[in-house]
Amino acid sequence: PFQYLLHIPGRYNIGLQVLELLLDGKHLESSPLFLNVVSRDCERDFPGASRTANEDGECVCAEATFAIGSSCVKLQLLPVFVGCPLLLALLIVICCALRSKRTLANDEDNNVARRVVKLR
């Protein structure tokens, strides 16, 4: 017994299918053939990528995942992807505000020191 891998674009029913081979309108000797159509094994084609085959045989992100570039990421990680950049931006704003406040305080101290010197 031989096993062949055949990719025909389009939608096909999974399961046992009949393939008729005709030459000049007549069946070939071994026609019709019975073909077992199976779902695409996305885990084999994309190991660890959380992909499943859709009805067209394309490997798409599985349920409870979303695409980032060419990878599928679990929805549980979404807060990490959103939260980390927001937290970093907040820290930058806080650092800038503290630095600005410190600079203003230093400027006021310098102005007070100058006034004291002028008064003497």
Side-chain angles (χ1 to χ4, degrees):
F2 297 98
Q3 182 178 3
Y4 295 95
L5 178 63
L6 179 65
H7 175 73
I8 302 173
R11 294 183 180 167
Y12 294 92
N13 294 326
I14 302 229
L16 198 58
Q17 304 295 319
V18 177
L19 175 66
E20 295 179 334
L21 301 173
L22 304 174
L23 182 63
D24 293 330
K26 297 180 182 176
H27 281 278
L28 294 179
E29 185 178 323
S30 58
S31 177
L33 301 172
F34 291 98
L35 300 175
N36 186 27
V37 178
V38 296
S39 180
R40 182 173 179 182
D41 184 3
C42 294
E43 183 59 32
R44 183 192 68 216
D45 296 340
F46 301 96
S50 298
R51 293 183 176 268
T52 58
N54 66 9
E55 54 192 28
D56 291 327
E58 298 168 339
C59 291
V60 296
C61 291
E63 275 189 47
T65 63
F66 63 98
I68 293 184
S70 61
S71 301
C72 297
V73 180
K74 293 180 181 179
L75 282 175
Q76 292 107 346
L77 297 177
L78 183 61
V80 174
F81 286 113
V82 173
C84 285
L86 288 177
L87 184 61
L88 182 62
L90 181 63
L91 287 173
I92 290 171
V93 167
I94 290 171
C95 287
C96 289
L98 290 174
R99 186 173 186 165
S100 175
K101 187 175 181 180
R102 189 177 307 141
T103 302
L104 288 174
N106 285 341
D107 287 346
E108 285 179 15
D109 289 344
N110 288 338
N111 286 337
V112 169
R114 284 184 200 146
R115 285 184 195 149
V116 169
V117 170
K118 283 183 183 180
L119 290 175
R120 289 184 183 177

